[in-house]
Amino acid sequence: MGTNLNIKQNLVDFSAPLEQPIPNCVTEIIKLMKNYISISPNQLTVNIYQPGQGIPKHVDTHSVFNSQIISVSLGSDVVMDFKNPLTGKVLPVLLPARSLTVMSGESRYLWHHGITPRKTDALQDVVERGLRISLTLRECTKEPCKCSYPSQCDSQNYGKPNYSVTDEADAASLEAKYVSQVYEDIADHFSNTRHSPWPGVISFLKKLSPNSLVMDVGCGNGKYLNSMPELQFIGNDNSLNLLQNLQRPRP
């Protein structure tokens, strides 16, 4: 609602605002935030989460949105995970129902945030999730981002690689930065979307004799290592973060 934002393409059309503006009831909520926010929200996204649903870890695009990301949680409590892509440190943060979350500075520009898809959360106690509605408020901007976190910034170094390759060392460096490192950065999201074995691979494995040894090169999160108990598997992958999502064998 409000500014016309294409989330899939991260493009804003300021010349054609959406027919549905930010509702008056939300405008009144924004007024109550005046002591906590420094932006003027012009875009509203409403998400409805059923128990068990989540959202992959991400950073809201720097060049599209201004310096704060605002979220109002309604309905159920939920735990949101923040991950530092430089250190790998993860911080679970409880977002109570009817709470306000303001991400700014490092939490807005550097730390990735997301909600793990599960039906319960555990901090001090295990709590079942219920229906949750989030109101995400942003200020869309035309100005390039000048934040202090260029490694995550699409207006600065990130997303503007130099593809000049003169020798094998340059090629290896390019692959490490724009292939290997990308998989390290998106490992959690990638793993969450790669949990079902491909039927063609399972069909091939079923044709093997019992106790056959299978080498899965590039095994990712190991979704095939647990697929056929009568076979012996060895897996490897170049991404340490993907391997940390390894699916453990069944008892």
Side-chain angles (χ1 to χ4, degrees):
M1 305 177 190
T3 301
N4 191 349
L5 168 67
N6 186 323
I7 295 179
K8 292 184 178 180
Q9 297 182 359
N10 281 325
L11 297 175
V12 177
D13 187 352
F14 287 95
S15 65
L18 298 175
E19 294 182 3
Q20 188 171 6
I22 296 177
N24 291 334
C25 59
V26 178
T27 301
E28 293 300 314
I29 295 175
I30 294 174
K31 292 178 181 178
L32 298 175
M33 303 176 187
K34 62 181 181 180
N35 293 331
Y36 306 98
I37 67 175
S38 59
I39 65 171
S40 300
N42 57 15
Q43 193 274 329
L44 167 66
T45 300
V46 180
N47 286 316
I48 300 176
Y49 297 92
Q50 299 289 344
Q53 292 182 326
I55 184 170
K57 294 184 183 69
H58 66 283
V59 173
D60 289 59
T61 307
H62 290 202
S63 64
V64 177
F65 307 118
N66 218 326
S67 58
Q68 292 181 328
I69 305 296
I70 300 163
S71 177
V72 177
S73 295
L74 303 175
S76 174
D77 298 352
V78 75
V79 170
M80 176 173 282
D81 293 319
F82 288 79
K83 181 176 182 178
N84 187 318
L86 304 181
T87 65
K89 184 177 182 179
V90 177
L91 293 175
V93 177
L94 176 65
L95 307 184
R98 303 182 66 185
S99 67
L100 170 67
T101 302
V102 181
M103 285 176 269
S104 62
E106 189 171 311
S107 66
R108 185 273 182 259
Y109 289 118
L110 177 63
W111 288 68
H112 295 200
H113 62 278
I115 297 173
T116 302
R118 58 188 178 219
K119 294 187 177 181
T120 60
D121 285 314
L123 288 177
Q124 294 181 342
D125 300 309
V126 177
V127 180
E128 291 190 4
R129 290 183 185 175
L131 179 70
R132 176 176 176 267
I133 300 173
S134 72
L135 310 179
T136 303
L137 291 154
R138 310 176 180 92
E139 183 180 29
C140 297
T141 179
K142 301 178 183 178
E143 300 297 324
C145 179
K146 299 178 181 179
C147 71
S148 302
Y149 307 95
S151 67
Q152 305 297 313
C153 184
D154 62 315
S155 291
Q156 300 181 65
N157 295 331
Y158 181 74
K160 299 179 180 179
N162 178 6
Y163 289 109
S164 176
V165 179
T166 59
D167 55 31
E168 291 187 7
D170 285 344
S173 176
L174 186 68
E175 181 180 14
K177 185 173 183 179
Y178 297 112
V179 180
S180 301
Q181 188 58 47
V182 168
Y183 275 105
E184 292 295 307
D185 291 342
I186 68 170
D188 290 343
H189 177 206
F190 192 84
S191 179
N192 287 338
T193 60
R194 302 300 194 279
H195 49 76
S196 298
W198 289 5
V201 175
I202 295 299
S203 177
F204 167 77
L205 293 174
K206 286 182 176 179
K207 297 176 182 177
L208 300 178
S209 302
N211 295 315
S212 293
L213 181 62
V214 179
M215 182 67 180
D216 188 351
V217 178
C219 67
N221 64 1
K223 65 181 179 182
Y224 293 109
L225 306 185
N226 188 28
S227 61
M228 303 286 290
E230 64 272 25
L231 302 177
Q232 304 298 317
F233 285 87
I234 298 176
N236 75 338
D237 201 280
N238 193 44
S239 171
L240 177 60
N241 287 343
L242 273 176
L243 290 173
Q244 289 176 342
N245 285 279
L246 190 67
Q247 298 176 9
R248 302 300 180 187
R250 291 173 294 190

